[in-house]
Amino acid sequence: MHWAFDYIGLPWLPRTNDCWAFFRRVQLERFDRAIPAIDPDNYRSMTCARLFAGHAERTHWQPVEKPEEGNAVLLAHARHPSHVGVWVDVDGGGVLHCINGAGVVFQSVKALKAGGWGHLEYYRHV
């Protein structure tokens, strides 16, 4: 069984297991990458979008067209990304991410787009 299944169903918890904290955990536990914390004052989309856009950690991630296992996936309902997940090469590929109200889930690109995540950006650690 794929390692991603160990995480599915974990609860969303602010600052403990929100999207960024979960992303950091997976990067450390599965890919040996220590990612710095982001601690938003609130979880509004624009606040998160500004934090992602201006964070120094972005300089360590190169945009790619085709994602591979462990790549970062920035997701947006509109123009600016406000959510992050991890690309997982299982069942045709998809995003493992932690969302408020559902916890950790795995979704295909098709399911993400049907759920309103119309814009996805893929990044590889360099």
Side-chain angles (χ1 to χ4, degrees):
M1 184 160 55
H2 193 277
W3 60 263
F5 291 101
D6 294 341
Y7 297 99
I8 293 174
L10 293 176
W12 183 94
L13 299 168
R15 293 176 180 81
T16 305
N17 203 44
D18 54 27
C19 74
W20 187 254
F22 176 70
F23 175 77
R24 292 178 61 232
R25 177 180 177 181
V26 170
Q27 290 299 315
L28 183 61
E29 291 177 1
R30 301 298 174 168
F31 302 99
D32 199 31
R33 296 181 191 125
I35 308 294
I38 294 178
D39 190 16
D41 292 331
N42 62 59
Y43 287 90
R44 292 186 182 144
S45 291
M46 282 310 296
T47 301
C48 292
R50 284 186 196 106
L51 286 171
F52 287 150
H55 200 280
E57 181 62 22
R58 288 222 32 197
T59 63
H60 301 288
W61 295 83
Q62 173 185 359
V64 294
E65 291 294 318
K66 186 177 178 196
E68 295 177 359
E69 184 91 11
N71 287 173
V73 182
L74 293 183
L75 301 98
H77 283 292
R79 193 173 109 202
H80 302 287
S82 61
H83 186 63
V84 66
V86 178
W87 183 262
V88 177
D89 285 332
V90 67
D91 291 337
V95 180
L96 186 68
H97 60 125
C98 191
I99 50 180
N100 192 353
V104 177
V105 296
F106 172 81
Q107 292 181 290
S108 67
V109 171
K110 185 177 180 179
L112 287 164
K113 291 190 179 211
W117 296 105
H119 183 74
L120 282 71
E121 298 174 4
Y122 308 109
Y123 292 85
R124 180 170 302 129
H125 192 265
V126 291

